[in-house]
Amino acid sequence: MRLYAVVAAGGFRRYATYRMATLAGVFTNTVFGFIMAYTYIALWDERPQLGGYDMSQALTYVWLGQALLMTCAMMGGGFEDELMERIRTGDIAVDLYRPADLQLWWLAGDLSRAAFHLLGRGIVPLVLGALAFDLALPGSAWTWLAFLVSVALGVVVSFAVRFLVALSAFWLMDGAGAMQIAWLAGLFFSGMMLPLNLFPGWLGEVARVLPWSSLLQVPADVFLGTYAGWDVVRAYAFQAGWATVLLLAGRLLQSVATRRVVVQGG
């Protein structure tokens, strides 16, 4: 495990070197946060308690979305482009022969990426949003801790989805199309565009059981107190269940890809 801790530490330092990109990201997230916030204000003025949220909760949801957009890589921006490029060029063969697990290697790096973006691009927009609007911030330290645990589980689910899609490059000429579809699904079904509570009928029911809801909707509901007591545990179980299923699927696909590389190399 020491190896993967070193990989994670190196990944954090790597992202920390891009200071101007981080500042630009904070600015972008803040601007879009204000745009979304005023859009939500107009919407909730017309439909109070829409989706079960009051105005303060709806605005909090907006700024949580900006804080978690890059943390949970809802629009990509993680390891997937590099991994697909290594598959395309054949450099992945070197990775598969290394005395390190491919999935754990990339997971360690992605966790450090998520941690940096939460600190570097997540906290500042949320603080600015709290200064500008009346947000429903938790008063209990336990709620904040429960939220961070849910975010961590959401990051793992996000990684597992992107790892699976990236491995599709072993069989596709170019995995970029599949990755773009995954990004669009992540934006829509995570609740980034609108809370999933607003989706009507069967669409809302389906959206809430898909893995992407773990990226924003579930952590936001933990933060807002929608889940309490054993409901938080059930929310964790939902996220952990998807993380386990998707990670196992990725490991199976990795095993198939490894045998393919070995056969071709032989």
Side-chain angles (χ1 to χ4, degrees):
M1 295 303 295
R2 182 180 178 183
L3 170 63
Y4 304 111
V6 171
V7 171
F12 191 93
R13 288 194 297 269
R14 171 188 173 189
Y15 282 96
T17 59
Y18 300 105
R19 296 181 180 87
M20 292 307 298
T22 300
L23 290 175
V26 169
F27 176 78
T28 302
N29 284 123
T30 302
V31 169
F32 275 97
F34 275 96
I35 293 172
M36 292 290 291
Y38 284 110
T39 302
Y40 273 45
I41 288 173
L43 182 59
W44 259 259
D45 276 340
E46 292 295 324
R47 298 284 301 276
Q49 297 297 323
L50 185 62
Y53 297 147
D54 60 26
M55 178 72 78
S56 181
Q57 290 174 320
L59 290 173
T60 305
Y61 186 96
V62 167
W63 291 102
L64 287 175
Q66 295 305 311
L68 298 183
L69 177 63
M70 287 300 296
T71 302
C72 291
M74 285 176 250
M75 295 182 65
F79 67 94
E80 54 272 17
D81 289 336
E82 183 179 352
L83 177 55
M84 286 191 296
E85 179 63 18
R86 294 188 68 81
I87 294 172
R88 189 186 66 81
T89 60
D91 291 340
I92 192 67
V94 178
D95 300 337
L96 292 173
Y97 280 111
R98 285 175 179 165
D101 183 82
L102 183 71
Q103 188 183 60
L104 289 177
W105 177 282
W106 291 104
L107 175 59
D110 200 58
L111 289 175
S112 66
R113 175 207 58 78
F116 174 78
H117 283 308
L118 181 62
L119 296 172
R121 290 184 58 169
I123 292 178
V124 174
L126 184 60
V127 170
L128 293 174
L131 292 174
F133 301 96
D134 179 24
L135 302 189
L137 301 178
S140 169
W142 288 109
T143 303
W144 285 94
L145 180 59
F147 167 70
L148 291 176
V149 172
S150 184
V151 169
L153 289 170
V155 170
V156 176
V157 172
S158 172
F159 164 82
V161 170
R162 288 175 289 126
F163 185 74
L164 271 172
V165 177
L167 289 184
S168 69
F170 276 107
W171 292 270
L172 302 175
M173 293 296 293
D174 185 0
M179 189 58 67
Q180 288 175 356
I181 292 173
W183 294 342
L184 289 173
L187 279 175
F188 187 75
F189 289 113
S190 66
M192 188 65 203
M193 306 304 296
L194 280 173
L196 301 184
N197 298 343
L198 273 62
F199 286 20
W202 64 267
L203 179 60
E205 295 177 5
V206 170
R208 283 189 287 271
V209 299
L210 292 175
W212 292 284
S213 65
S214 298
L215 278 56
L216 173 57
Q217 185 67 60
V218 174
D221 281 338
V222 171
F223 187 89
L224 293 170
T226 303
Y227 297 128
W230 285 106
D231 287 337
V232 175
V233 177
R234 282 190 283 270
Y236 289 165
F238 172 80
Q239 292 178 290
W242 269 119
T244 301
V245 169
L246 292 169
L247 287 173
L248 289 176
R251 186 160 292 279
L252 176 62
L253 202 60
Q254 174 184 319
S255 177
V256 173
T258 300
R259 286 198 295 270
R260 180 177 179 177
V261 170
V262 170
V263 169
Q264 291 178 347

